[in-house]
Amino acid sequence: MRAFLFPGQGSQAVGMGAALSDASRAARDVFETVDEALGQNLSRLMRDGPEDELKLTENAQPAIMANAIAVFETLVRDGKLNFTNIAHMAAGHSLGEYSALCAAGSLDLSTCTKLLRTRGTAMQQAVPVGIGAMAALLGADLDTARRIAAAAAEGEVCEIANDNDPSQVVISGHLGAITRAIAIAKEMGAKRAIQLPVSAPFHCSLMKPAAEAMAEALARTVIVRPALPIYANVTAAPDSDPDVIRAQLVEQVTGMVRWRETIANMAAAGVEEFVELGGKVLGPMVKRIAPDARVTSIVTIDEIEALAKEIA
């Protein structure tokens, strides 16, 4: 069995999608649709930068999705493949869940683009710059990370944001609490703690205003049943009911990304091959969770064409 995976924030880079757009009409169609939906030449920003503007959350989120869907559409359209014939299930990390739902037909591309612009803007506005922070705890499992977060909180928010793999957990919350967590992490069992270069504390209770904004936006959104099982971040399990998906996307804004459990559950369900579309970030995590699985990451036209020939 094969699962498709879609990356989240942090996989953006100036130049993303440019070579693929030059090589594939399917990719160009994706970027043109995204630009039209936003009323902005996002594809030019992705191609040429500046980097500081691209990494703004309101731009990075739709850009990462656009790049992943451009890879996906190039694979299925140019390869003349059907998604449900080449994949048995899918998942996305954080905003990548929207990409997975788009690929599976639950959200059309224009709607997905607008939702991610709303999501990115709302998440940035939820907490003033300098108030919150995030840190990666390396060499720490979930239990260790929870102990570190609890010890560092001291009345402030310090919560688990991403349970990425058995050796990497990300915490999120007030800057003071995250700073304390970094200071005590090693003595409490982590190998290393690194503050992340992010502009807001994602996936923690400080994001409640953003969750409220997404609840309002998603209430107006048409969501249809996905063509194949999509594993949700907040449950690490699939659900095809549109109302449940809608609620999970709202909960995801403040909730923990249960990525380690998601991959483990997919492997337990019989997945032997994982394909990451549009990034090279998730593959190493997957190998640490399911070391016996085959992992492929496709970004370039050559990588896409090689996979298409293999799985056709």
Side-chain angles (χ1 to χ4, degrees):
M1 293 177 72
R2 181 184 297 115
F4 277 22
L5 306 177
F6 296 84
Q9 201 153 331
S11 56
Q12 72 275 1
V14 173
M16 64 191 299
L20 185 59
S21 180
D22 292 341
S24 167
R25 177 72 252 181
R28 289 197 297 279
D29 286 345
V30 170
F31 295 130
E32 288 170 6
T33 299
V34 168
D35 287 350
E36 183 178 349
L38 294 177
Q40 172 195 3
N41 198 333
L42 183 66
S43 58
R44 185 172 64 190
L45 177 61
M46 294 165 64
R47 181 185 289 263
D48 300 327
E51 183 179 0
D52 285 350
E53 190 174 342
L54 177 61
K55 70 181 183 183
L56 290 173
T57 303
E58 64 188 44
N59 291 324
Q61 294 202 24
I64 292 163
M65 180 278 297
N67 189 56
I69 295 300
V71 170
F72 171 77
E73 287 293 337
T74 300
L75 176 67
V76 297
R77 277 177 50 182
D78 293 357
K80 297 180 174 58
L81 302 171
N82 185 298
F83 190 21
T84 55
N85 290 339
I86 60 174
H88 300 89
M89 57 191 74
H93 190 283
S94 190
L95 76 91
E97 189 170 335
Y98 285 79
S99 306
L101 289 166
C102 181
S106 281
L107 295 169
D108 67 70
L109 180 56
S110 292
T111 298
C112 189
T113 300
K114 293 173 183 176
L115 283 171
L116 285 174
R117 168 55 55 82
T118 298
R119 185 178 184 269
T121 301
M123 292 174 90
Q124 185 60 68
Q125 292 176 347
V127 181
V129 174
I131 299 297
M134 300 179 75
L137 303 179
L138 306 179
D141 60 16
L142 184 58
D143 288 341
T144 300
R146 282 179 169 146
R147 290 197 304 272
I148 293 169
E154 294 185 11
E156 293 187 311
V157 172
C158 191
E159 298 169 359
I160 307 299
N162 305 337
D163 178 18
N164 282 334
D165 66 44
S167 64
Q168 185 193 116
V169 180
V170 174
I171 56 174
S172 182
H174 285 108
L175 175 59
I178 298 302
T179 301
R180 290 190 292 273
I182 292 171
I184 66 174
K186 195 167 184 180
E187 66 187 58
M188 294 192 67
K191 288 184 180 177
R192 195 175 170 204
I194 306 169
Q195 186 167 337
L196 299 178
V198 295
S199 56
F202 306 128
H203 297 293
C204 76
S205 55
L206 294 177
M207 286 285 113
K208 185 178 178 182
E212 292 170 351
M214 289 311 296
E216 185 177 334
L218 286 160
R220 304 189 301 266
T221 299
V222 175
I223 299 176
V224 301
R225 288 179 176 270
L228 77 180
I230 305 296
Y231 279 61
N233 284 187
V234 296
T235 63
D239 200 300
S240 61
D241 182 274
D243 289 333
V244 174
I245 292 170
R246 186 178 286 108
Q248 289 171 340
L249 290 175
V250 174
E251 185 182 351
Q252 185 218 62
V253 177
T254 56
M256 179 176 70
V257 176
R258 296 169 60 179
W259 192 250
R260 175 184 56 82
E261 294 172 87
T262 294
I263 298 303
N265 289 346
M266 285 179 154
V271 173
E272 299 172 325
E273 180 182 0
F274 294 88
V275 179
E276 177 183 3
L277 295 94
K280 306 271 186 178
V281 175
L282 301 178
M285 295 182 194
V286 172
K287 288 301 290 183
R288 288 190 288 269
I289 302 164
D292 294 333
R294 181 183 176 194
V295 181
T296 306
S297 296
I298 59 171
V299 176
T300 68
I301 188 67
D302 289 344
E303 290 167 342
I304 295 168
E305 290 175 346
L307 180 66
K309 287 179 183 177
E310 179 184 330
I311 64 179

